[in-house]
Amino acid sequence: MLRDEIKKNTKKFFKNPTAVLGLFLLVFFIIIALFAPLIAPPKDPNNPYRIPIATWSLEPKPPSPEHPFGVIGQRDIFYGVIWGTRTAFRIGLIVAGISAIIGIIMGSLSGYFGGWIDEVLMRITDIFMSLPFLVAAMVLTTVLGKGLDKVMIAMIVFGWMGTARLIRGNILQVKEEQYVLAAKALGVRDSLIILKHVIPNTIFPVIVQVSMRMGSLVITAAALSFLGLGAEPGYADWGTLLSYSRNWLTQFDKAWFSIVYPGVAMVLFVLAWNLVGDALRDIFDPRLRG
Amino acid sequence: MESKQPLLKVNNLKTYFFTDDGVVKAVDGVNFEVYPGETLGIVGESGCGKSVTSLSILRLLDEKGKIVDGEIIFEGKDLVKLDENKMREIRGNDIAMIFQEPMVALNPVYTVGDQIMEAIILHQKVHKDEARKIAIDMLRKVGIPEPEKRVDEYPHELSGGMRQRAMIAMALSCHPKLLIADEPTTALDVTIQAQILELMKQLQKDLDMAIIMITHDLGVIAEISDRVAVMYAGKMVEYTDVKRLFKNPKHPYTWALLNAIPRLDIEQERLFSIPGVVPDALHFPSGCKFHTRCEFATEKCRNEEPGLIEIEDGHFVACWNIEKLEAAKDRVEVGENK
Amino acid sequence: MNEIILEVKNLKKYFPIRAGVFRRIVAWVKAVDDVSFNINRGETLGLVGESGCGKTTVGMTILRLYEPTAGQVLYGNKDISKLRGKELREMRRKMQIIFQDPYSSLNPRMRIKNIIAEGIITHDIAKGREAEHMVAELLKRVGLSPDQMNRFPHEFSGGQRQRIGIARALAVNPELIVCDEAVSALDVSIQAQILNLLEDLQKDFNLTYIFISHALNVVKHISDRVAVMYLGKIVEIADKKELFSNPLHPYTKALMSAIPIPDPELKRERILLKGDVPSPINPPSGCRFHPRCPIADPKICSREEPELREVKPDHFVSCHLV
């Protein structure tokens, strides 16, 4: 029976062309990330995230057989894009994952217990939400110091509020549903009601939200890198690569490849997660199942 | 009645919805007339197409819904073929509509007065002060106390019954010849429903307009209609005057429905129940749409669709087995009136 | 025969209205305000009234889904409003509820099998295969096929879901079931099916029903006794036949005359009430019905609250002028 259900959903998933495209892109990125050492062998295996210096000239070099995506800031763009895929996954998974956990804890405490706990937690959430994200993240990164891990900490600290709000709202709504009352009237314990009735009906929107955020977080990280707050120069990160082109903004014809290749990678990465997120939403909502 | 010209004549109306899951034949060949000053009741259960019929008349269908066939003749013009500008002139001016949920029909950011005046200014081409006077008059007519004050209030400041009155005032402000009322009392408490029905009857007399009353409640139909169309699964199954329908229903569905309602005026041991479920609009059965739930159904009912036939003067029925129902009628004991 | 199964004494349920930064209580909604009645084993008590009269709150408070503000709910000799923990869970087995909304009353992510078995497993009535067997029997009893037990609620129509809700309630072998607008959301043809089913089940399992509804005709059909509520109070309670042939409270009379009857040739005197139901936050003084009452006496009705008194054997009315 369960197998039928999975079969049906898989079939439905593959009937949806955009979902298939999203999954295809995602698999493509995962393969690149997994096989990065083979696609772009690192010069220093102990420090593969460091893009090797390709030339001593400061001028950007257009794509050539030796450097298929060209060279910017003395670095090979191809190598940066390939190894940057790993960085993108790392940023996405860690930031989206940890901030979702914080959000779920804050949101469910608020939603279940209500009263003053709800008041206090939601006011804290409001304070965090009222800070402009980029400014706050910049300030925190400046305080903590430069580096990708610092950027990630800043993004987690200022990135959990959406999930907290979402899960609290869902719990408040589910708490009023008649099936929860019916379970109470049957004498089911509170802990079981939460486990069997509340969580299954609240957690899936969060999973969808997290998968959607995976992509957009990479853009945020890139924006911080572009502003000079991200990884140190030479680190294999799409945002860092883009920030090299800052010096050549007026001479697009000379440095177009430094924007196009990392840019396309980033756009496709975001698109992949969004499409997969959309498909997950359709699958997780049994009311939409045909 | 036959001597008069009908105000509205609907011929073989078919409205289909083209959804991702398939074609929904919401209204599939419906015919009826509405004469000036009378009330036609359209009754049926959820999904029978009664609301879509009314939305089709005003051409207010969403982008998935299309009138695929038929005519809607209103005062000699076919509304199906009218261009959008002409249609807009008819809406609100000649034909008005009221809905089940006044909160949806009333815009929450404008005062009640503004919304009534908008229609008056648009259709009657009068000055603003004049329109305000008409609006206040209209509110008084529908029984809203202190209309001078209420005219400047917002919809949320009114109670459910008052909102429904305000919506009626808005609909009637341009003296339409036809009012379409789609479940106007379903969301209201019974004592308020009684007030609104009384008001509608009174206004109909005063303004000499025709009403199409759409409802699932046979009690409301009995109360307000002159003639009734019973719908099931996109089809009209019976169409006649109200007295005949309640006294001598000829379609098994009408008959079963009448016996399925718990009555206040009669003692019933057990309710007559129609087996099965209301069919899903995507998968209407073949032949007669009611055959899956009809106890008289035969092979013919499963395969051939019965047409709406005039079995006696002004009494139309779509059924192959009218005699069988007549023979079975004695079986169900309907108690005596108190 | 007339064994009292449930006794409600002076039940009150007020909901606080909070406002401002500190969520201070600024007012109370007096949803149920001093309600008392008894139910005999095996009978159906109809609870009828318009929206905001407190009928649903009475049902919820009896089941302790809401905590009562004051008063007692005696089941046998136990006061339900004082039970805790295990004792309360045990009591829940005896009293069940069927809800109005067939869509929100079933968990969309659970299979029918698990929805119905939840009570069986909670109360250790059966496990595994045996529980599944019970679910199959219950499905058959409410007119569904046991093959459907692995499906999800969205695969069923409104009437079928209501049957599933009934099976869930029956699973724990209750003595009393609160039916809260159990047929109000259904089409007429389906409503008759469910009403007939409820009547059959009552006979088979010797059930006691509290049937809450705004539809006077439905209540009349299914009840043995009927209580009419208005703004948190019972205004009249009597045997069904007595109440419908001889209504005494002016509100009951108006309510009955307001119901449209499916007979176009029946001419009735209609009592039209003025205005709307007032808010239960600030109910009118004296008799709560007096601002809308066609026969109200300004000398007494607006000043003194009438008591529910027995004017005839087993016919209670709360009106000064009866």
Side-chain angles (χ1 to χ4, degrees):
Chain A
M1 228 25 196
L2 191 70
R3 198 171 295 155
D4 287 354
E5 196 69 22
I6 292 169
K7 229 193 211 160
K8 209 164 108 190
N9 279 327
T10 333
K11 226 169 121 190
K12 200 175 162 195
F13 186 94
F14 283 104
K15 260 168 89 182
N16 180 352
T18 56
V20 174
L21 177 67
L23 189 69
F24 174 79
L25 283 172
L26 201 58
V27 169
F28 175 72
F29 277 115
I30 290 172
I31 289 173
I32 289 184
L34 284 179
F35 294 103
L38 297 177
I39 301 168
K43 277 197 180 140
D44 175 5
N46 295 326
N47 201 359
Y49 287 101
R50 189 136 201 97
I51 310 175
I53 306 268
T55 164
W56 293 108
S57 152
L58 289 174
E59 286 282 306
K61 270 176 142 179
S64 62
E66 200 187 341
H67 303 292
F69 288 178
V71 173
I72 184 98
Q74 308 168 327
R75 315 273 172 175
D76 180 19
I77 297 175
F78 180 74
Y79 187 94
V81 169
I82 298 296
W83 283 86
T85 311
R86 282 192 170 194
T87 312
F89 273 111
R90 202 162 41 145
I91 295 172
L93 287 171
I94 292 177
V95 175
I98 297 181
S99 57
I101 290 169
I102 297 175
I104 288 170
I105 293 171
M106 296 288 268
S108 29
L109 288 177
S110 270
Y112 290 142
F113 295 106
W116 67 268
I117 297 179
D118 182 31
E119 277 307 306
V120 171
L121 292 183
M122 279 302 113
R123 290 303 79 77
I124 293 173
T125 312
D126 284 346
I127 291 167
F128 272 86
M129 281 190 114
S130 65
L131 300 171
F133 176 75
L134 266 184
V135 178
M138 274 161 70
V139 170
L140 189 64
T141 322
T142 323
V143 172
L144 294 173
K146 224 165 135 58
L148 199 63
D149 45 344
K150 311 291 185 331
V151 170
M152 277 158 58
I153 291 172
M155 290 204 297
I156 290 169
V157 169
F158 296 102
W160 52 272
M161 296 83 74
T163 314
R165 283 267 179 105
L166 180 71
I167 203 135
R168 173 180 176 270
N170 281 335
I171 287 175
L172 289 184
Q173 197 191 340
V174 169
K175 252 168 69 175
E176 294 301 310
E177 296 278 357
Q178 288 180 343
Y179 54 78
V180 172
L181 284 178
K184 236 187 203 173
L186 279 171
V188 181
R189 274 164 217 281
D190 282 348
S191 52
L192 267 178
I193 292 181
I194 291 170
L195 207 67
K196 282 170 74 178
H197 297 282
V198 179
I199 296 219
N201 284 293
T202 51
I203 200 77
F204 291 106
V206 174
I207 293 178
V208 173
Q209 192 202 36
V210 166
S211 76
M212 299 266 200
R213 274 193 81 209
M214 293 282 285
S216 62
L217 281 171
V218 173
I219 294 208
T220 314
L224 287 171
S225 289
F226 193 81
L227 293 170
L229 289 169
E232 65 270 21
Y235 195 84
D237 167 49
W238 298 338
T240 310
L241 279 178
L242 277 178
S243 65
Y244 278 118
S245 62
R246 207 169 32 193
N247 299 333
W248 306 93
L249 280 179
T250 49
Q251 290 155 285
F252 185 70
D253 55 319
K254 257 182 146 175
W256 59 270
F257 41 86
S258 73
I259 296 172
V260 169
Y261 292 113
V264 165
M266 215 179 314
V267 167
L268 291 180
F269 191 78
V270 175
L271 185 70
W273 281 110
N274 271 332
L275 294 179
V276 167
D278 267 340
L280 285 179
R281 176 167 45 208
D282 291 351
I283 287 171
F284 284 147
D285 194 342
R287 278 157 290 197
L288 295 175
R289 280 183 211 161
Chain B
M1 195 157 293
E2 268 64 31
S3 59
K4 275 204 252 176
Q5 274 296 316
L7 178 69
L8 177 84
K9 191 167 165 53
V10 173
N11 276 335
N12 194 29
L13 177 70
K14 291 187 180 175
T15 304
Y16 293 178
F17 286 82
F18 298 89
T19 69
D20 297 340
D21 298 317
V23 179
V24 174
K25 297 182 177 176
V27 176
D28 200 13
V30 162
N31 300 285
F32 59 83
E33 300 90 42
V34 184
Y35 292 92
E38 76 157 353
T39 301
L40 173 77
I42 301 182
V43 66
E45 297 181 289
S46 54
C48 72
K50 54 190 192 298
S51 288
V52 175
T53 305
S54 65
L55 292 173
S56 304
I57 294 171
L58 278 177
R59 299 235 319 259
L60 290 172
L61 300 161
D62 64 31
E63 71 274 13
K64 282 183 177 148
K66 265 210 178 70
I67 299 175
V68 294
D69 196 11
E71 305 172 305
I72 302 168
I73 310 289
F74 179 76
E75 295 191 309
K77 286 170 294 213
D78 185 357
L79 300 188
V80 177
K81 297 203 179 75
L82 231 49
D83 69 61
E84 189 52 37
N85 282 330
K86 291 248 173 63
M87 198 62 221
R88 215 172 288 139
E89 266 168 44
I90 285 180
R91 271 183 221 138
N93 201 16
D94 292 323
I95 307 178
M97 186 157 180
I98 56 177
F99 300 89
Q100 175 175 345
E101 235 332 303
M103 246 353 221
V104 180
L106 294 171
N107 189 332
V109 302
Y110 293 106
T111 64
V112 171
D114 283 339
Q115 299 184 56
I116 301 176
M117 283 155 61
E118 190 187 2
I120 299 171
I121 292 168
L122 188 72
H123 292 297
Q124 300 189 358
K125 317 265 186 291
V126 294
H127 195 260
K128 214 176 159 200
D129 297 340
E130 181 66 25
R132 189 181 162 86
K133 231 182 262 164
I134 299 175
I136 292 173
D137 241 26
M138 221 46 235
L139 288 175
R140 186 174 296 121
K141 214 175 249 171
V142 297
I144 291 183
E146 301 173 86
E148 295 85 357
K149 208 179 112 202
R150 297 287 176 170
V151 76
D152 294 319
E153 285 185 5
Y154 289 90
H156 68 265
E157 295 176 271
L158 303 176
S159 68
M162 285 298 148
R163 265 183 229 141
Q164 200 55 277
R165 283 170 192 267
M167 188 162 66
I168 292 173
M170 192 162 99
L172 301 189
S173 57
C174 295
H175 301 296
K177 293 171 188 132
L178 174 65
L179 175 72
I180 301 176
D182 188 357
E183 303 262 12
T185 59
T186 304
L188 303 174
D189 277 320
V190 281
T191 58
I192 311 298
Q193 165 172 290
Q195 294 171 358
I196 298 290
L197 290 179
E198 213 52 48
L199 172 73
M200 286 179 68
K201 279 195 259 184
Q202 191 56 45
L203 291 171
Q204 177 173 35
K205 235 188 270 164
D206 294 352
L207 305 173
D208 189 35
M209 65 180 173
I211 295 178
I212 297 180
M213 177 61 127
I214 290 159
T215 177
H216 69 282
D217 188 335
L218 281 158
V220 171
I221 288 284
E223 184 117 328
I224 201 166
S225 315
D226 297 307
R227 287 180 313 117
V228 187
V230 182
M231 287 188 72
Y232 186 81
K235 298 269 179 192
M236 256 166 69
V237 296
E238 189 159 2
Y239 176 49
T240 183
D241 61 89
V242 69
K243 283 185 184 164
R244 249 192 298 196
L245 185 90
F246 282 87
K247 202 163 200 174
N248 194 10
K250 293 286 186 191
H251 195 283
Y253 177 62
T254 318
W255 174 72
L257 210 53
L258 281 169
N259 285 301
I261 341 168
R263 305 264 303 243
L264 219 51
D265 55 334
I266 294 174
E267 285 304 322
Q268 297 147 294
E269 233 352 270
R270 197 171 168 80
L271 296 174
F272 187 82
S273 89
I274 306 176
V277 298
V278 181
D280 159 20
L282 270 171
H283 308 103
F284 278 153
S286 62
C288 171
K289 302 280 174 278
F290 188 56
H291 85 252
T292 51
R293 305 176 70 193
C294 181
E295 56 177 307
F296 311 113
T298 59
E299 197 53 39
K300 190 175 187 184
C301 303
R302 275 182 274 281
N303 301 324
E304 281 174 63
E305 195 165 332
L308 199 65
I309 293 164
E310 189 162 13
I311 53 160
E312 54 190 29
D313 187 32
H315 194 159
F316 297 82
V317 184
C319 178
W320 295 122
N321 297 312
I322 294 168
E323 314 76 41
K324 276 200 193 165
L325 171 65
E326 282 310 307
K329 269 185 183 174
D330 317 325
R331 227 185 40 217
V332 173
E333 288 278 325
V334 176
E336 285 303 302
N337 283 10
K338 273 192 297 197
Chain C
M1 176 63 200
N2 275 1
E3 177 205 347
I4 291 175
I5 186 169
L6 186 86
E7 202 174 348
V8 176
K9 279 188 182 165
N10 307 99
L11 187 69
K12 290 183 184 177
K13 176 65 193 175
Y14 296 175
F15 294 99
I17 297 175
R18 294 165 194 275
V21 185
F22 300 105
R23 313 257 97 207
R24 270 188 325 143
I25 295 168
V26 292
W28 294 92
V29 178
K30 297 178 177 173
V32 176
D33 202 5
D34 202 352
V35 160
S36 305
F37 58 87
N38 298 332
I39 305 167
N40 299 321
R41 187 178 289 277
E43 77 166 347
T44 301
L45 176 74
L47 216 51
V48 72
E50 296 178 283
S51 53
C53 74
K55 55 192 189 301
T56 293
T57 312
V58 168
M60 297 287 223
T61 316
I62 288 174
L63 293 177
R64 273 283 293 277
L65 292 173
Y66 295 159
E67 294 298 319
T69 308
Q72 290 180 306
V73 180
L74 298 170
Y75 194 95
N77 47 16
K78 279 193 184 136
D79 184 356
I80 295 173
S81 58
K82 302 225 161 48
L83 295 181
R84 319 220 150 268
K86 197 167 174 254
E87 260 191 319
L88 177 62
R89 278 202 295 278
E90 273 308 305
M91 182 56 77
R92 296 225 141 124
R93 223 185 122 164
K94 296 188 178 149
M95 303 206 295
Q96 278 303 304
I97 181 162
I98 300 166
F99 292 99
Q100 166 177 12
D101 184 355
Y103 291 87
S104 129
S105 62
L106 305 177
N107 185 343
R109 292 185 194 281
M110 274 167 83
R111 286 172 203 283
I112 301 314
K113 176 171 71 182
N114 298 331
I115 290 174
I116 297 174
E118 189 165 30
I120 298 177
I121 288 165
T122 301
H123 291 285
D124 278 326
I125 299 168
K127 274 198 195 101
R129 282 233 157 266
E130 204 188 331
E132 198 157 303
H133 183 71
M134 286 180 74
V135 171
E137 286 302 313
L138 283 162
L139 280 172
K140 266 191 249 166
R141 190 62 201 80
V142 298
L144 292 171
S145 155
D147 316 338
Q148 297 169 317
M149 66 162 81
N150 280 312
R151 297 203 188 160
F152 285 95
H154 70 272
E155 297 172 64
F156 294 87
S157 69
Q160 290 173 320
R161 284 168 192 237
Q162 210 55 317
R163 290 174 193 268
I164 295 165
I166 293 171
R168 168 175 63 193
L170 284 179
V172 292
N173 255 325
E175 295 176 333
L176 181 142
I177 297 182
V178 175
C179 307
D180 185 7
E181 300 273 12
V183 298
S184 305
L186 306 175
D187 275 319
V188 177
S189 68
I190 309 299
Q191 176 179 306
Q193 295 174 357
I194 300 293
L195 285 173
N196 286 343
L197 174 65
L198 286 172
E199 285 182 326
D200 293 345
L201 294 172
Q202 178 164 45
K203 256 179 247 148
D204 293 359
F205 296 103
N206 193 25
L207 294 169
T208 308
Y209 289 145
I210 300 180
F211 197 91
I212 299 168
S213 178
H214 71 281
L216 212 54
N217 57 336
V218 175
V219 167
K220 179 195 166 229
H221 178 78
I222 200 162
S223 307
D224 299 307
R225 279 192 308 139
V226 176
V228 182
M229 287 189 72
Y230 185 80
L231 269 185
K233 299 254 182 204
I234 290 181
V235 296
E236 187 161 6
I237 180 167
D239 189 70
K240 169 175 76 177
K241 283 210 177 100
E242 166 70 13
L243 186 87
F244 283 87
S245 58
N246 186 22
L248 293 175
H249 197 283
Y251 177 67
T252 315
K253 288 182 187 170
L255 203 58
M256 283 184 191
S257 83
I259 306 269
I261 289 179
D263 181 352
E265 294 182 62
L266 190 71
K267 292 282 166 264
R268 288 181 299 163
E269 196 59 40
R270 172 161 279 176
I271 308 163
L272 274 185
L273 290 181
K274 299 163 280 182
D276 292 306
V277 182
S279 150
I281 298 172
N282 218 338
S285 63
C287 171
R288 294 183 176 194
F289 185 56
H290 86 262
R292 300 177 77 198
C293 182
I295 58 164
D297 181 349
K299 282 201 283 290
I300 178 156
C301 293
S302 59
R303 289 183 201 156
E304 257 177 72
E305 197 167 325
E307 290 275 312
L308 193 66
R309 60 201 166 90
E310 191 164 12
V311 290
K312 278 195 210 175
D314 291 324
H315 191 155
F316 297 80
V317 184
S318 113
C319 177
H320 294 298
L321 306 171
V322 168

